[in-house]
Structure formats: structure tokens, C-alpha cells
């Protein structure tokens, strides 16, 4: 069971990293191409995105909790899982408290909202900091891969 759980968490983390990187490279730049005019794209894509991201995140969370429980007695594996947990929390907490709130605020803006320096700074900040989420997703994936490697030693 511990091996299956760890493989499942690793596969789901891989999907999260690939999908997150794809969004960051190809979708999100279009959202911020010409704020606030381009913010209309956010509304079009976030409804479909939530149908994808919410189940994927729940799948990761369930498989990771199972992995943590079933591998807790293996010190070498546990260490990597704790690093994965830290990375996951460093993504989840800011996403819930900042990124989602801001992207929903951007999505609600009409195209004729003035592109004030404050708005441009907010959008640039969001765009810059969202890249850190992709890096942390990569760290989570790599630490899960290292946990798999430790499991097979």
C-alpha cells in the first residue's frame, strides 16, 4: 500500500507540475497582456480550470496523506515527504489567501476600468509571484521522486 500511495502521489504531482507550467507559460501571460482589457480571458478560463484543478488538488491531497501515513515508519522516505509537505503548504496557503482572491478581483474588473499604475503593479506582482508556485510544485515533485528512490533502496 505504501508503494502504491507514493506512486499515486508522484503521478498526480507530475500532472500538477505539467499543467501548472503549461498555464504559466501559455495561458496566464495572455490574461495579463493588456490589463484590464485582457482580464476578460480570466473569466472564460477559470470556470473550466476549477473543474480541472479542484479534483486534481483533492486527488493529490488524499494520495499524499495516504503516502505520509503509510510511509511514516521509514525515516529516509519520511524526510522527503516532510519536504514535500512544506513545499505543498508554501503553495497552498498563499494560493488560498492571495492568488485566488486577486485573480477573482481581476476577473471582475470591466474592460473599461482605468489601467492605473496601482493596477498594473498589482497585476505584475501577481504574475511575478505566481512563478514561485511553479517552482515549489517542481520541488514537491522532485522530493516525491527522491522519496521513491529512497523507498527502493
Amino acid at each position: 500500500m505504501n508503494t502504491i500511495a507514493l506512486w499515486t502521489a508522484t503521478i498526480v504531482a507530475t500532472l500538477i507540475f505539467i499543467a501548472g507550467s503549461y498555464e504559466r507559460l501559455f495561458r496566464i501571460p495572455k490574461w495579463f497582456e493588456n490589463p484590464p482589457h485582457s482580464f476578460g480571458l480570466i473569466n472564460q478560463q477559470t470556470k473550466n480550470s476549477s473543474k480541472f484543478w479542484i479534483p486534481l488538488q483533492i486527488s493529490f491531497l488524499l494520495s499524499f496523506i495516504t503516502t505520509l501515513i503509510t510511509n511514516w515508519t521509514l525515516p529516509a522516505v519520511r524526510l522527503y515527504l516532510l519536504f514535500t509537505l512544506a513545499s505543498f503548504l508554501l503553495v497552498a496557503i498563499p494560493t488560498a489567501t492571495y492568488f485566488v482572491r486577486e485573480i477573482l478581483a481581476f476577473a471582475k474588473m470591466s474592460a473599461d476600468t482605468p489601467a492605473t499604475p496601482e493596477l498594473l503593479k498589482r497585476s505584475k506582482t501577481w504574475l511575478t509571484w505566481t512563478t514561485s508556485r511553479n517552482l515549489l510544485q517542481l520541488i514537491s515533485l522532485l522530493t516525491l521522486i527522491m522519496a521513491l528512490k529512497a523507498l527502493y533502496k
Side-chain angles (χ1 to χ4, degrees):
M1 178 70 169
N2 65 328
T3 305
I4 293 170
L6 182 52
W7 271 105
T8 302
T10 305
I11 290 167
V12 176
T14 302
L15 292 173
I16 288 171
F17 174 69
I18 291 169
S21 296
Y22 175 84
E23 274 199 346
R24 176 62 188 90
L25 293 170
F26 300 106
R27 279 190 171 172
I28 292 174
K30 291 177 184 175
W31 298 353
F32 292 92
E33 205 168 68
N34 186 21
H37 301 289
S38 55
F39 287 165
L41 295 171
I42 298 169
N43 265 342
Q44 296 169 9
Q45 295 176 358
T46 53
K47 289 176 184 165
N48 289 333
S49 288
S50 65
K51 291 176 185 174
F52 172 79
W53 281 108
I54 292 172
L56 192 61
Q57 293 290 348
I58 290 170
S59 296
F60 176 75
L61 195 56
L62 292 174
S63 64
F64 183 73
I65 290 169
T66 304
T67 298
L68 204 54
I69 292 168
T70 59
N71 287 281
W72 190 255
T73 59
L74 304 171
V77 176
R78 181 177 57 223
L79 179 65
Y80 292 117
L81 296 180
L82 290 173
F83 279 111
T84 303
L85 178 61
S87 280
F88 176 79
L89 291 174
L90 286 171
V91 171
I93 293 169
T95 296
T97 60
Y98 170 73
F99 289 103
V100 170
R101 181 178 42 86
E102 276 292 279
I103 204 69
L104 292 175
F106 293 146
K108 289 178 184 175
M109 290 182 188
S110 67
D112 60 353
T113 301
T116 63
E118 178 192 338
L119 175 61
L120 297 175
K121 183 180 178 189
R122 272 178 61 199
S123 61
K124 185 177 180 182
T125 299
W126 191 96
L127 192 56
T128 300
W129 281 104
T130 201
T131 302
S132 67
R133 295 189 302 164
N134 298 109
L135 295 173
L136 289 165
Q137 289 168 342
L138 177 60
I139 290 169
S140 290
L141 174 57
L142 293 175
T143 55
L144 283 170
I145 291 169
M146 291 188 305
L148 275 170
K149 186 176 177 183
L151 185 65
Y152 286 106
K153 278 190 174 180

